[in-house]
Amino acid sequence: MSLTVQQVLSRFPGWQITDMSGGWVAMRVNFMPKNSGLSNVRCGETLEELARNLHAEVRHQKSGQPAVGR
């Protein structure tokens, strides 16, 4: 079963999701400071990949550790 934009938005409030050419982009509604170690933008080729990346961002935010791979 494929995810819909509404499903991803409901799982990750505080993000705006846009269909871009070749993939999906999520931007925080309220940007984090540059030195926070957190992302303001996350991308994915599919909505499923974007949801995984947003889940990783939430995990890192809760742990207080900067997310890897930026």
Side-chain angles (χ1 to χ4, degrees), residues 2-13 15 17 24 47:
S2 294
L3 288 175
T4 67
V5 173
Q6 277 310 117
Q7 289 171 320
V8 178
L9 285 170
S10 69
R11 291 180 190 174
F12 303 99
W15 294 84
I17 297 175
W24 295 88
L47 281 173

Side-chain angles (χ1 to χ4, degrees), residues 26-44:
M27 293 187 315
R28 285 189 191 269
V29 173
N30 297 310
F31 286 153
M32 302 300 288
K34 200 175 213 179
N35 62 352
S36 70
L38 298 171
S39 296
N40 287 311
V41 177
R42 294 299 299 235
C43 302

